[in-house]
Amino acid sequence: MYVHDEVLDLIGAWALDACDPDEAARVDAHLRGCATCAAEARRLRSAASWLAADRMVPAPPALRHRVLAGAHAARPAALMRTLLGAYAGQAALLDRLLGAVRADDWTRPDPRHETLGGVVAHLAGNDAMLAADLGLSVVPLPSGAPAEVHAAWREQSRVIVDGLAGHQGGLDQRVRLAHTGPPPLRPLRDALVQRAFETWTHLGDIGSAVGRGTTTPPPEQVRRIVDLAAALLPGAVRGSDSGDEVGTVRLVLEGAGGGEWTLPCGRGDDTTIYADAVEFTRLVANRRGADSLSHTTAGSPAVSTRVLHVAATLGCD
């Protein structure tokens, strides 16, 4: 799915023949197998023809190379923009909600972090861990008024967004993921998905506590959350303490962000789990119990139950 997201960001430039050779090759290869992106590419190429873009005189190769090199140096990679934008978008929604929270709401109880102020402090701490791994500034977390904690979290989020806008380390850089146990090392791309996911989760926690309801992330974010969970689940299942032998598990998720994922968990019998994609992300966040998740199973019900219970442990708190 990362390739799909990257191509979506590049199609506009591709339609105007503004991609470098490597980017153009990735787009061409993806378009041959993705009907959705191919249709969008045809639409944009048609629009470009109305702008007479297809009749422009090609630039001399040396000039083209210099212009593209300068453009690439001035902007982050397409996938970095996508993942960073998802995190920044969820942070902006949470910041807006926190700005409307009344002073007495900050002390409302929270089952995981004592109060709503504790939720924001927890989130700030996990953001600070990523900042530290990237060599960015770590904003000290004050022990004073909740408004000061809110300001520190907002500043830490800004440091990450601004710092990664020109990041040269790439999305494969290994960083720690937030976790209830020892933080696992994963690529930066996974950490950014997790930061958007956790911010959305706590946005829902706080929104529910103050009577503002919950939100659902865009389908592409839902799909990236499931991608990350699917990458983590096989190892977590193999490491769980249970006598049930788990083989290959297929996740078939419906609704916004849905799709199919194949999880090679072991050598037991194959099992397929059918559920709603957004509800599955709530399970992964441990905001939906495995026993209460509406789902059906083809194969072993015991394996399905084990996998869903393990999925509920993948969250950050």
Side-chain angles (χ1 to χ4, degrees), residues 113-254:
H113 305 291
E114 297 186 358
T115 65
L116 295 192
V119 174
V120 180
H122 162 78
L123 187 59
N126 285 343
D127 283 339
M129 182 172 69
L130 176 59
D133 286 356
L134 293 170
L136 301 174
S137 298
V138 172
V139 178
L141 191 62
S143 57
E148 295 176 357
V149 175
H150 171 199
W153 164 76
R154 180 176 56 222
E155 176 62 14
Q156 188 67 80
S157 176
R158 185 198 63 78
V159 166
I160 292 174
V161 173
D162 290 352
L164 285 177
H167 184 61
Q168 299 300 316
L171 287 165
D172 292 327
Q173 179 179 347
R174 307 289 280 187
V175 296
R176 289 172 292 175
L177 288 188
H179 197 267
T180 52
L185 288 176
R186 297 285 300 183
L188 174 57
R189 59 168 55 87
D190 289 349
L192 287 175
V193 172
Q194 188 195 54
R195 299 319 312 133
F197 179 32
E198 188 185 5
T199 304
W200 166 64
T201 298
H202 291 313
L203 172 67
D205 292 341
I206 296 171
S208 294
V210 299
R212 297 295 183 95
T214 59
T215 63
T216 300
E220 63 273 13
Q221 288 191 38
V222 172
R223 195 170 183 91
R224 283 193 290 269
I225 293 166
V226 180
D227 282 342
L228 177 57
L232 297 174
L233 254 178
V237 168
R238 289 191 291 268
S240 63
D241 184 14
S242 173
D244 300 321
E245 188 63 33
V246 179
T248 297
V249 175
R250 287 179 63 239
L251 275 179
V252 181
L253 304 180
E254 300 177 345

Side-chain angles (χ1 to χ4, degrees), residues 1 11 27-28 54 59 62 91 108 140 152-153 166 174 198 215 235 269 271 273 306:
M1 285 305 300
I11 284 181
V27 173
D28 289 337
D54 61 343
R108 285 179 179 268
W153 164 76
R174 307 289 280 187
E198 188 185 5
T215 63
D269 294 334
T271 299
I273 301 171
R306 178 182 172 190

Side-chain angles (χ1 to χ4, degrees), residues 73-140:
R75 65 167 173 86
L79 182 54
M80 176 70 85
R81 293 201 314 277
T82 296
L83 299 181
L84 199 56
Y87 165 63
Q90 292 299 329
L93 291 174
L94 179 56
D95 186 39
R96 189 177 308 136
L97 174 61
L98 293 176
V101 168
R102 300 193 309 260
D104 57 341
D105 282 334
W106 287 97
T107 57
R108 285 179 179 268
D110 177 79
R112 297 170 180 83
H113 305 291
E114 297 186 358
T115 65
L116 295 192
V119 174
V120 180
H122 162 78
L123 187 59
N126 285 343
D127 283 339
M129 182 172 69
L130 176 59
D133 286 356
L134 293 170
L136 301 174
S137 298
V138 172
V139 178

Side-chain angles (χ1 to χ4, degrees), residues 3 10 41 52 54 64 91 145-146 155 169 215 222 229 259 262 272 278 283 310 316:
V3 173
L10 288 173
D54 61 343
R64 175 184 170 82
E155 176 62 14
T215 63
V222 172
T262 300
T272 301
V278 173
L283 171 73
V310 172
C316 308

Side-chain angles (χ1 to χ4, degrees), residues 283-311:
L283 171 73
V284 173
N286 199 20
R287 296 322 190 259
R288 167 78 70 249
D291 296 330
S292 66
L293 177 72
S294 178
H295 69 283
T296 57
T297 299
S300 168
V303 166
S304 174
T305 297
R306 178 182 172 190
V307 170
L308 294 178
H309 276 278
V310 172

